[in-house]
Amino acid sequence: MAIRESGEDYLETILILQKRTGFVRSIDVANELGYSKPSISRAMGILKSYGYIEVEPGGQIILTESGRDKAESVYARHLLLRKFLTETLGVSAENAEEDACRIEHILSDETYTKLKSFIEKIENE
C-alpha cells in the first residue's frame, strides 16, 4: 500500500531510532521530529492500519516486515543522496541533509539505481 511522504518520514525515523536505542515509542518520534504527540499518534494509527507498524501494549512501536522494507528503502535513498551531494558535488553537510530528505521521496527507481551504480563506479576507480 502506498503512503505519502510524511508516512515515509515517520517510518524512516522509527528505523533510525530503533537502530539508535532499540526501543521506540510515539513520544520518541515526536521528540525526534519536533511534532506534537497528537500528530504522531494520528500518524501511527494510519501506519498501523496500513500494516507498516505494530504497537505493543507498553507503547513500543515495532516495524512490520513491510514497514521495515519501506523504511530501509527510504533510508538507503537518503544516505546515498546525502553522500552524492556532499562527496561528489561538494554541497555542505547541512544542505545535503535537507535536500536528501526532500529528494528521497520523489526519486524514481531507475534514477536511484543509476545513481547508485555511478557512485559505486567512482568509488572503485
Side-chain angles (χ1 to χ4, degrees):
M1 188 170 290
I3 59 171
R4 294 183 176 174
E5 180 178 327
S6 59
E8 290 181 348
D9 284 338
Y10 292 126
L11 291 173
E12 182 180 22
T13 300
I14 293 166
L15 177 69
I16 291 167
L17 290 170
Q18 281 182 345
K19 289 180 181 217
R20 188 185 308 156
T21 66
F23 188 91
V24 181
R25 298 166 299 150
S26 291
I27 191 67
D28 302 319
V29 178
N31 290 337
E32 184 75 12
L33 295 174
Y35 296 157
S36 70
K37 177 88 167 76
S39 294
I40 298 299
S41 292
R42 181 177 183 282
M44 294 306 108
I46 292 168
L47 292 176
K48 185 176 178 183
S49 73
Y50 282 8
Y52 287 122
I53 65 167
E54 294 175 356
V55 181
E56 299 288 311
Q60 182 177 7
I61 299 169
I62 307 292
L63 291 168
T64 63
E65 185 177 340
S66 62
R68 178 167 292 282
D69 289 347
K70 186 67 170 171
E72 287 178 349
S73 171
V74 173
Y75 190 51
R77 287 170 179 255
H78 181 97
L79 294 176
L80 182 79
L81 287 162
R82 185 176 67 195
K83 180 178 188 171
F84 175 74
L85 293 170
T86 56
E87 295 179 14
T88 305
L89 300 182
V91 174
S92 70
E94 182 179 308
N95 284 334
E97 183 66 27
E98 289 178 23
D99 291 344
C101 236
R102 290 188 200 109
I103 298 168
E104 68 193 22
H105 303 289
I106 60 170
L107 192 66
S108 70
D109 289 340
E110 178 187 9
T111 301
Y112 172 72
T113 301
K114 298 284 185 179
L115 183 60
K116 185 176 179 183
S117 295
F118 176 76
I119 291 172
E120 288 170 354
K121 181 180 175 187
I122 289 174
E123 290 176 342
N124 292 326
E125 288 182 349

